[in-house]
Amino acid sequence: RLPDDHVIVICGATGDLARRKLLPGLFHLARAGLLPTRYRIVGSAPAADSVGDEEFREQARQAVDRFGRAAPEGPQWQAFEEALSFGAADPGDPAPLLAAVREAERAVGGSPRRLFHLAVPPVAFGSVVKMLGATGLAEGARVIVEKPFGTDLASARVLNDTLHAVFDESRVFRIDHFLGKESVDNILALRFANGLFEPVWNREHISHVQIDVPESIDIQGRAGFFEGTGTFRDMIVTHLFQLLGFVAMEPPSALDARSLREEKDKVFRSLRPLDPAQVVRGQYEGYRNEPGVAPASDTETFAALRVEIDNWRWAGVPFYLRSGKALAEGRHMVTLTFRQPPLRMFRAAAHDSAAARSDTLAIDFDDPGRITARFLAKEPGPEMRLGTAEMVFDYAGSFAQDHALEAYEHLILEAMLGDQSLFTSADGINRLWEVSEPLLKDPPPVEPYTPGSWGPESIQRLVRPHHWYLPDGR
Ligand code: BG6
């Protein structure tokens, strides 16, 4: 499956995302032979950040050198570098971008498809989209849109209206890079390709689910972005809710975009509006001293919440979500804990702690990922004593990683192929903002936590009578 010939335009090409992910990702796709036979990549930015073609190539080389998987050298790099050019664009003066795109199209020949990747700050989003519409550049083109998609329901609707005035929904690719991670996509294979798991994947058998993405990094100097965003908007309403969609959806009738998005959106429609009393907002000590952070900032750097899905599969099963900065470890975990069977016959045999720690299926979607099933087993010896045992599937140990793509690489490729399966829909996003309204209107105060901890103390209360699986597998 190779995409049609393309001219890819990165709006925001001198920014952080382009440097860290997009340029290195595109170079990896080129090396892996996954870019179209003929392509050009045009970088764009406001005139104030304008660079010449050569300078842009040098920036790309440095980006690949620092963040890429292979050094920018040899014939593959040369070919990639030659495909790069730059065209500045201000809403009032898009001429240099227009000229660069025309030149790139001439170089590719025929009528290549245009793909815009909008790696621009939210404030610039509307004007860039309007400019693409007004210049005609958007005609027939696809567009990749970065998160955060709005800050609440009203702003998301405005953004969607702006987008849809220029691009119809079939050409809009809203990115949530968690959906491009191999081991997140594997949730679909695990659930729907195996008779072992799907039959127990419901309220009859599962007592609670945790979606836990602690990060050890702090805001890394990104106060400008983070102060106006916070963990709920940056991580929960986006990445963690999208994961929840995959974990909770009904089997889709086919693995195509329409069926997958429909099933995910149905989960979102069944989500109960968030109850602020079931949310803990935290802020790490020292956050208010970070450069660019207001001395009395109320922005949360941590959020944990309990959500419920009111449908036949999940009614009564709490989903606990947690994410935050400056925590003890950086992890990506989805854990399902099964209902305990009556352990009466084993009463003397099961250590309490062992019993509480087992009966879990833990999906670790750190790249490349692993899945661990924990259960009780008889310890060797004359007596019936139960201990915790594990079965582990390790992605790296089980499959060669040669063809593995990183999330951004995977998603850019899917957008070039025109497959929206792993992208979010307007309806889905609107619904997520809608269920978030009660929390956004009435957020509980932020509670301080020590950097390097697992968050504020009150998160234990939130999950009672259950326990967080991290850090010690309970
Ligand atoms: C980004 C957030 O979308 O995801 C960051 O803006 C966060 O704040 C990052 O650190 C986490 O992504 P990953 O793939 O490293 O877990």
Side-chain angles (χ1 to χ4, degrees):
R1 265 196 327 162
L2 266 198
D4 299 335
D5 292 346
H6 259 78
V7 169
I8 302 163
V9 182
I10 305 177
C11 299
T14 52
D16 208 45
L17 184 70
R19 210 160 56 93
R20 283 173 188 272
K21 299 285 182 195
L22 309 187
L23 291 163
L26 283 163
F27 180 50
H28 180 77
L29 288 176
R31 286 181 54 244
L34 293 170
L35 282 188
T37 321
R38 283 173 301 177
Y39 69 90
R40 283 288 181 280
I41 299 166
V42 179
S44 187
D49 297 328
S50 179
V51 292
D53 289 352
E54 279 315 313
E55 202 177 338
F56 181 52
R57 288 176 183 155
E58 176 54 23
Q59 284 183 2
R61 200 191 60 72
Q62 285 174 14
V64 171
D65 197 38
R66 170 112 194 260
F67 299 108
R69 302 205 239 160
E73 55 196 28
Q76 282 176 326
W77 171 254
Q78 233 167 13
F80 182 78
E81 189 182 51
E82 275 163 22
L84 298 174
S85 61
F86 192 88
D90 280 328
D93 180 16
L97 174 61
L98 267 169
V101 170
R102 279 206 199 101
E103 176 54 35
E105 285 178 346
R106 234 190 331 267
V108 171
S111 27
R113 200 173 255 291
R114 258 177 242 151
L115 173 66
F116 292 95
H117 195 132
L118 302 194
V120 300
V123 287
F125 180 86
S127 60
V128 173
V129 170
K130 283 179 194 149
M131 181 268 288
L132 296 179
T135 50
L137 281 171
E139 229 166 84
R142 297 183 178 129
V143 65
I144 300 181
V145 181
E146 280 296 328
K147 65 169 257 292
F149 199 81
T151 52
D152 57 12
L153 180 58
S155 58
R157 283 198 172 132
V158 171
L159 277 187
N160 271 322
D161 290 347
T162 309
L163 257 181
H164 289 155
V166 176
F167 297 94
D168 57 61
E169 181 68 11
S170 69
R171 294 188 283 130
V172 177
F173 293 75
R174 289 177 203 77
I175 220 164
D176 187 298
H177 79 272
F178 272 40
L179 295 185
K181 289 178 188 270
E182 290 281 4
S183 44
V184 172
D185 301 345
N186 185 47
I187 293 176
L188 298 180
L190 179 81
R191 288 190 56 192
F192 302 129
N194 297 293
L196 178 58
F197 299 110
E198 187 50 29
V200 294
W201 207 271
N202 54 50
R203 62 195 297 273
E204 302 297 326
H205 300 281
I206 289 176
S207 106
H208 63 282
V209 178
Q210 298 186 13
I211 301 179
D212 203 0
V213 186
E215 295 187 278
S216 55
I217 52 169
D218 58 19
I219 58 159
Q220 298 191 301
R222 297 198 300 159
F225 162 71
F226 207 82
E227 266 288 87
T229 308
T231 293
F232 181 77
R233 291 184 171 96
D234 185 34
M235 298 293 291
I236 307 280
V237 78
T238 51
H239 303 321
L240 273 72
F241 276 160
Q242 291 299 327
L243 274 176
L244 178 135
F246 266 28
V247 172
M249 70 162 77
E250 295 301 311
S253 53
L255 265 191
D256 58 34
R258 207 174 117 212
S259 321
L260 273 172
R261 301 210 307 183
E262 213 165 73
E263 291 307 338
K264 197 149 53 74
D265 291 353
K266 265 159 67 181
V267 173
F268 298 155
R269 288 204 288 278
S270 302
L271 268 182
R272 240 187 235 181
L274 302 184
D275 174 0
Q278 303 289 341
V279 178
V280 174
R281 291 169 71 238
Q283 189 185 73
Y284 64 81
E285 283 156 1
Y287 173 73
R288 292 177 185 181
N289 301 330
E290 302 256 8
V293 171
S297 169
D298 181 50
T299 301
E300 79 283 351
T301 61
F302 174 100
L305 54 159
R306 174 192 164 114
V307 303
E308 292 197 40
I309 303 171
D310 272 331
N311 65 14
W312 280 72
R313 185 183 285 267
W314 295 116
V317 178
F319 281 66
Y320 302 117
L321 276 47
R322 164 170 65 180
S323 188
K325 303 284 187 210
L327 295 177
E329 285 174 43
R331 299 290 297 274
H332 300 84
M333 297 287 293
V334 171
T335 315
L336 296 98
T337 300
F338 293 90
R339 287 190 191 287
Q340 227 175 36
L343 280 175
R344 197 185 179 89
M345 63 188 273
F346 289 116
R347 187 165 285 164
H351 318 286
D352 277 353
S353 62
R357 288 161 61 106
S358 47
D359 251 351
T360 52
L361 187 70
I363 303 169
D364 182 338
F365 58 97
D366 269 340
D367 269 340
R370 89 179 35 171
I371 300 175
T372 307
R374 284 224 173 113
F375 53 95
L376 289 174
K378 182 187 172 304
E379 290 177 359
E383 284 164 31
M384 177 55 92
R385 276 178 66 80
L386 299 184
T388 304
E390 282 187 0
M391 287 193 293
V392 181
F393 155 70
D394 193 346
Y395 241 98
S398 303
F399 294 112
Q401 298 296 305
D402 311 353
H403 298 296
L405 292 179
E406 285 185 359
Y408 264 98
E409 298 160 0
H410 187 182
L411 293 173
I412 293 171
L413 176 62
E414 292 297 321
M416 282 193 287
L417 291 165
D419 188 333
Q420 291 178 311
S421 303
L422 299 177
F423 295 84
T424 60
S425 70
D427 288 349
I429 289 198
N430 285 346
R431 173 62 186 163
L432 291 177
W433 283 123
E434 189 177 46
V435 299
S436 306
E437 293 270 278
L439 172 67
L440 298 177
K441 284 210 175 94
D442 186 18
V446 288
E447 298 172 37
Y449 62 95
T450 315
S453 70
W454 288 92
E457 271 308 306
S458 53
I459 59 166
Q460 308 306 341
R461 240 185 0 254
L462 184 75
V463 300
R464 224 171 265 160
H466 305 122
H467 302 274
W468 290 99
Y469 182 83
L470 293 174
D472 50 5
R474 284 167 55 92

